[in-house]
Amino acid sequence: MRTNHVRHALARNEPMYGYSAGMGSLLAVETLSRSGIDFILVEQQHGAWGEHEAFLAFMAIEGGSAVPMTRVSSNDYTKIGRMLDQGALGIIVPMVDTAEQAKAAADACHLPPAGTRSWGFGRARTHGADYANWINDEVLCMVQIESATAVENAEAILATPGVHGCWAGPSDLALSMGIHPNHMNDSLEHHRALERIVKACHNTGKAPGLACNSPAEAVAKREMGFRFLTAGSDSGFMGAGATAGLKVLGR
C-alpha cells in the first residue's frame, strides 16, 4: 500500500507544498522529488509533457519522497484514468466552473461505487498488489477554480463528493475578471475573490489551494488560508538561478 501523505495532511488542516514541473525533463523531476518537497505536479496543460513522457515522470518522482501528481490538460474521463493507471496519486483538473463538471472529475478519479473509473491498471500496479483495495482512500482529486463563474459556484463545486479541494488559478481568474495578471496582486477585487474561495473551502470542509510562483509567495498565501500550494517550478528555479549568476558575474 502507498500512503498519500499529502491527502491525509490536508485532511488534518496542515499545509502541503509542491513544485510544478513543466520542462519535460526527467532529471529535473527526479531532482525536485529528492529535495524533500511534499509533491511534484507534472504539468500537462501548459508543460512539455506528452502522455508517455508523463508516465516516465511518475517513475522519476518515485526516486524521491514526493507524491506524484499531475495537472491533466482537460476534464476528460480517459485522460484522468490514464494518468491514474500509470501511477499518479493526485489529479488536478483545470477550468472547473460548475458542480456538474466537478462531479465528472471526481467520478473519473474513483473506482465504483464511489465513482466511474474504469477497472484496469498499468504501472500503478507497482504501488502494490492491493492497489485497487485502497486507491479510493488515497487518491487526491483537486479542481481548479479559476474564473469568476467558478468563484460564484465555489461552494457547490467544493461540496461535490470525491472532490478534496481546489488549486485556484490566479492568473486565469484575473483574466476572467478583466484584470491583467501583471496587475492582479494590486487588485482588491481579485484579492476578495481569493478570499471567497478560501471561505467556500472552509464552509465545505475542503482544502483550499493556490498556484504560486515562489516559496515566498506560497508562505504569504498560506497566511490567507491556502494550504495546498505550489511554491515554484523547474523552469522558474532554473531561470532565477541563471539570472542570479549573471548578476554575480557582472553581466
Side-chain angles (χ1 to χ4, degrees):
M1 176 176 174
R2 172 71 186 269
T3 299
N4 186 343
H5 68 266
V6 173
R7 172 171 166 172
H8 296 294
L10 291 173
R12 297 190 298 268
N13 207 34
E14 298 174 10
M16 287 281 103
Y17 303 102
Y19 291 143
S20 178
M23 294 175 64
S25 167
L26 298 176
L27 288 174
V29 294
E30 182 180 38
T31 299
L32 291 175
S33 184
R34 290 178 180 272
S35 71
I37 198 70
D38 297 311
F39 65 92
I40 302 297
L41 179 61
V42 177
E43 172 59 272
Q44 293 187 75
Q45 186 186 20
H46 296 297
W49 304 101
E51 183 180 273
H52 179 67
E53 290 76 18
F55 298 167
L56 297 177
F58 301 150
M59 297 173 65
I61 292 168
E62 295 289 347
S65 59
V67 174
M69 301 192 187
T70 188
R71 171 160 68 168
V72 292
S73 58
S74 63
N75 190 357
D76 181 272
Y77 174 86
T78 300
K79 290 177 180 179
I80 292 170
R82 291 281 288 164
M83 292 302 112
L84 293 170
D85 287 348
Q86 300 305 324
L89 292 175
I91 299 289
I92 291 82
V93 181
M95 296 292 181
V96 173
D97 289 333
T98 67
E100 291 76 16
Q101 292 171 356
K103 184 178 187 303
D107 283 349
C109 286
H110 294 87
L111 291 168
T116 60
R117 179 184 171 190
S118 176
W119 184 277
F121 317 110
R123 195 191 145 268
R125 294 181 185 277
T126 62
H127 288 317
D130 60 346
Y131 171 82
N133 297 335
W134 53 259
I135 186 56
N136 277 2
D137 296 323
E138 301 298 329
V139 68
L140 184 69
C141 175
M142 305 294 274
V143 298
Q144 285 203 264
I145 295 177
E146 48 186 346
S147 72
T149 298
V151 172
E152 291 298 320
N153 295 328
E155 289 209 20
I157 290 170
L158 290 159
T160 303
V163 169
H164 304 114
C166 70
W167 187 57
S171 296
D172 279 316
L173 174 59
L175 288 171
S176 77
M177 299 169 68
I179 302 166
H180 193 287
N182 288 347
H183 307 302
M184 63 186 180
N185 291 331
D186 299 320
S187 168
L188 180 59
E189 182 183 9
H190 188 271
H191 182 80
R192 286 175 174 168
L194 294 180
E195 289 181 329
R196 287 185 65 183
I197 293 171
V198 173
K199 183 178 180 181
C201 287
H202 177 77
N203 290 345
T204 56
K206 304 299 177 67
L210 188 68
C212 298
N213 292 319
S214 68
E217 183 183 5
V219 169
K221 298 305 183 184
R222 182 190 66 195
E223 298 305 311
M224 280 187 66
F226 290 100
R227 293 188 285 111
F228 179 78
L229 296 147
T230 44
S233 66
D234 50 0
S235 59
F237 292 137
M238 179 177 286
T243 299
L246 284 176
K247 290 180 179 179
V248 174
L249 295 171
R251 296 292 182 92

